[in-house]
Each structure stands twice: as C-alpha cells, then as structure tokens.
Amino acid sequence: MKRYDEQRIYIRFLNVQDARDMLNLQTRNREIFEKITASERTEAFYTLEGQISLLEKWTQAREDGTRYSFGIFLRSTDELIGEVSMFEIELNMAKKWIVGYVLDQHHNGQGYMSEALQQLFDFSLNELGIECLEAGALPDNIGSIRVLEKAGFRQTGVQSIVVHGMLKEHVMYAITLKLSVD
C-alpha cells in the first residue's frame, strides 16, 4: 500500500498489539459507537480480553480475505483515533463489500475520515482489485452522510438493519472506484 506522506493520518492493519488502544477508543466513545453499530456488544467487549479476541478474529478474516480492518492513526503522534474496515457479505446470493468506520468523537469534523477513506479506496482497488464498495448511515447521522458523499459515494436507497435488537432504516450508498493515472 502506498504511503500518503502529505496527509495527517495513516491507516494500517490492526493487530492484537493494538488491543489496549482499541479498548481505550471503544470505552471513550462507547455511548456514541453503540448507537451506530449493528453488532451487539456485551460487557466482555469492553475488556482487554474482548478486544484481543476481536482483533484475533479480524486478523483471521484478513487472512481469509473476507475483512480488512485498519486503525486510523495520527501521523504526528501515532495515536489510534479510529477504525475503518471493509468486509464481504453475501446478500440475496450476491457478494458485496461493505465499508464501516468509527472515529473518536474528539476528532470529528476535521477531515480525518475523508483521508482514511481515500487510503482505503487505494488499498481496495490497487491491492485487491475491488472496484465497488457500499456503506450505510442512519438518516440522522449527518456527519457520516457528509463523509460518504464527500468521498464520492452516491445514495442507492434505504435498507433496514438491526441495531441493538431494533430494526432501523439506513440510507445506503455505493461507490465505483477507478484507477487513477499518476
């Protein structure tokens, strides 16, 4: 993956050595992240062992070619400020690559996620040959919708997704990536 030296952040694969930083990120932002995540989170999730287990699963999924999870780090301090992933799902017999992301609330609105998505797009297209990605956002998550639209995603419709046991509508987006001529 090429480096983006002019950018303020970098992304790299998360691994078990990042468990403590992931735990800090998740606990600092628990209230916000739980409102937007589709996965159920027990108290065990918010332990070091829970984060180690999660990162081991993500590492195995990367080796299997079904999920690529990156930490978002500030270039100036190497602080973990977020996570961006792309994962493969099968829906109605069609395989799709979905993008998901979270960012520490203290770093929202500064363009970091836009930079991270551009780096993810580069990896997707140039390392894996994946040209089409999808993402969703709750209709009231204006910040996330703005990030997706700024990154070039186009709205494709609405889909119901279970969030904390409740069916919630998500605005769905897709982007088709193109090779850039440098």
Side-chain angles (χ1 to χ4, degrees), residues 158-175:
V158 176
Q159 181 177 335
S160 294
I161 298 173
V162 177
V163 177
H164 284 288
M166 296 177 57
L167 209 53
K168 293 191 175 187
E169 285 193 347
H170 280 63
V171 181
M172 299 306 296
Y173 289 84
I175 187 170

Side-chain angles (χ1 to χ4, degrees), residues 47-180:
T47 65
L48 185 58
E49 295 77 19
Q51 291 302 301
I52 289 170
S53 176
L54 176 69
L55 293 169
E56 287 173 342
K57 288 177 190 169
W58 286 357
T59 299
Q60 183 60 54
R62 181 175 70 238
E63 291 170 3
D64 295 342
T66 58
R67 182 185 184 106
Y68 299 91
S69 295
F70 298 88
I72 303 169
F73 296 87
L74 288 177
R75 189 172 296 285
S76 60
T77 63
D78 293 321
E79 175 190 0
L80 176 67
I81 62 166
E83 178 261 322
V84 60
S85 295
M86 51 185 279
F87 48 93
E88 187 178 48
I89 65 167
E90 190 168 314
L91 187 61
N92 300 327
M93 304 297 288
K95 290 189 177 185
K96 298 178 179 223
W97 282 94
I98 306 296
V99 173
Y101 51 84
V102 294
L103 189 68
D104 187 299
Q105 60 188 326
H106 299 295
H107 296 283
N108 284 341
Q110 298 179 48
Y112 293 130
M113 190 55 68
S114 295
E115 291 180 30
L117 284 174
Q118 292 307 313
Q119 292 179 37
L120 181 77
F121 294 166
D122 181 63
F123 173 80
S124 172
L125 189 60
N126 296 312
E127 302 292 325
L128 302 176
I130 296 170
E131 298 177 350
C132 186
L133 298 171
E134 297 184 20
L138 291 166
D140 62 349
N141 191 343
I142 304 303
S144 188
I145 289 171
R146 192 174 304 125
V147 164
L148 292 172
E149 290 176 346
K150 182 179 174 184
F153 282 86
R154 298 290 174 245
Q155 187 174 338
T156 60
V158 176
Q159 181 177 335
S160 294
I161 298 173
V162 177
V163 177
H164 284 288
M166 296 177 57
L167 209 53
K168 293 191 175 187
E169 285 193 347
H170 280 63
V171 181
M172 299 306 296
Y173 289 84
I175 187 170
T176 301
L177 306 173
K178 304 271 190 256
L179 281 173
S180 61

